[in-house]
Amino acid sequence: MSNTVQMSNTALWCICEKSTLFIQNDSLPCCRREELPFPAGEAITIAEEDGLPVFLASPVGDHPQFTSFRSMLPVDDRRYYLISRALSLHNMMTNHTFCSHCGHKCTLARKEIAMRCPNCHALNYPPISPCIIVAIHRDDRLLLARHASHANRLATVLAGFLEAGETLEQCVEREIFEEVSLRVKNIRYFASQSWSFPSQLMTAFTCDYASGEIAVDNVEIHEADWFSSTNMPEVIPMHGTVARRLIENFISSFTDK
């Protein structure tokens, strides 16, 4: 996609700062550039919505309070796509300013969304880190765990990053064994979700318990246990996340009967 912009047109604006956005009237601002309530830097076109270009830019100087994307969940699929795309591309432009080949400062490529080195002409595209997230079923129970990084007693399904050379299924097996010492079988694809914090692609699976007793690693996982559909923990993932969908899928498999 070319990132050439027509700055005189009304457009949707994704104004990003780290993993936060400027929201106007509970939505992305739709206006001309000069109508934004604060100065914005260089803008690029990242999508089109209802015939309008969608611009991505960063704030310049003082600006109003921005909003965390996480706090906006759930949002409709189209708005989720636009915001997730904006945050991922903003991460690319913020964190890949120097060429990994020769060290020169990069600029934004003109004909595609990538960072281009003017010295060696290398192109660096937006990084995407593949991850797995998995619901483990054991008859009428689901394994949920509390992670070391969660301070609010959140109980959720297991997840982890794909390692070099692995298939997604191998990653599922390894992460489960490393974190809770269980073996699983019947690994099945469920769904996927872009998770731009900063640039993950979550691939969700379900699987069945095969063998072993729960033994948490005490590094990433502090607690783990089996829960029935009628006895869920008090705090589970928020709506709008694929983790919540995995849990709701398990619950509905019993309540719909």
Side-chain angles (χ1 to χ4, degrees):
M1 172 188 285
S2 171
N3 52 45
T4 302
V5 300
Q6 298 296 324
M7 299 309 296
S8 61
N9 292 342
T10 297
L12 277 170
W13 288 85
C14 290
I15 310 294
C16 298
E17 184 178 62
K18 297 181 180 178
S19 62
T20 60
L21 300 149
F22 173 67
I23 302 297
Q24 193 172 52
N25 300 322
D26 296 323
S27 186
L28 297 174
C30 180
C31 59
R32 297 174 183 269
R33 183 188 182 104
E34 59 268 22
E35 295 170 339
L36 288 169
F38 53 85
E42 180 184 6
I44 65 170
T45 306
I46 63 169
E48 185 174 291
E49 181 72 6
D50 296 330
L52 294 175
V54 181
F55 291 165
L56 167 63
S58 297
V60 175
D62 295 333
H63 51 78
Q65 182 67 42
F66 279 40
T67 300
S68 166
F69 184 22
R70 291 176 190 248
S71 69
M72 296 172 60
L73 296 174
V75 297
D76 63 83
D77 289 347
R78 184 60 186 173
R79 185 158 61 149
Y80 188 99
Y81 163 74
L82 293 176
I83 296 172
S84 182
R85 179 170 172 78
L87 291 174
S88 293
L89 298 180
H90 181 260
N91 173 60
M92 174 194 73
M93 292 186 292
T94 302
N95 296 328
H96 295 78
T97 53
F98 292 94
C99 178
S100 59
H101 293 267
C102 68
H104 270 68
K105 188 170 183 177
C106 294
T107 58
L108 191 64
R110 289 184 173 273
K111 294 184 178 180
E112 55 188 329
I113 297 180
M115 300 301 288
R116 180 182 181 276
C117 175
N119 180 60
C120 70
H121 309 297
L123 288 171
N124 288 286
Y125 294 92
I128 300 174
S129 299
C131 303
I132 61 91
I133 184 166
V134 56
I136 309 167
H137 298 186
R138 185 176 186 180
D139 299 323
D140 62 346
R141 293 175 294 167
L142 176 71
L143 187 130
L144 296 176
R146 292 188 171 94
H147 293 247
S149 59
H150 294 159
N152 62 350
R153 300 292 294 170
L154 173 73
T156 186
V157 291
L158 300 184
F161 286 91
L162 186 75
E163 292 189 353
E166 283 185 322
T167 66
L168 292 167
E169 291 82 0
Q170 288 169 335
C171 183
V172 167
E173 293 176 326
R174 176 185 55 77
E175 284 287 346
I176 291 172
F177 188 75
E178 287 180 354
E179 294 186 350
V180 293
S181 301
L182 299 180
R183 298 293 186 186
V184 296
K185 60 185 178 181
N186 301 331
I187 298 170
R188 304 174 295 278
Y189 172 79
F190 178 78
S192 63
Q193 181 178 39
S194 173
W195 193 245
S196 300
F197 304 104
S199 55
Q200 287 93 303
L201 174 64
M202 306 299 295
T203 305
F205 294 89
T206 63
C207 66
D208 297 325
Y209 166 85
S211 64
E213 297 297 328
I214 296 173
V216 299
D217 64 3
N218 285 315
V219 178
E220 294 187 47
I221 306 298
H222 280 183
E223 299 176 55
D225 208 344
W226 300 104
F227 295 88
S228 71
S229 61
T230 58
N231 185 33
M232 285 284 112
E234 183 177 348
V235 183
I236 60 175
M238 67 180 71
H239 289 285
T241 64
V242 72
R244 180 66 175 243
R245 289 176 59 194
L246 282 165
I247 295 171
E248 290 179 341
N249 175 69
F250 167 77
I251 294 172
S252 67
S253 68
F254 295 96
T255 58
D256 291 347
K257 291 181 179 178

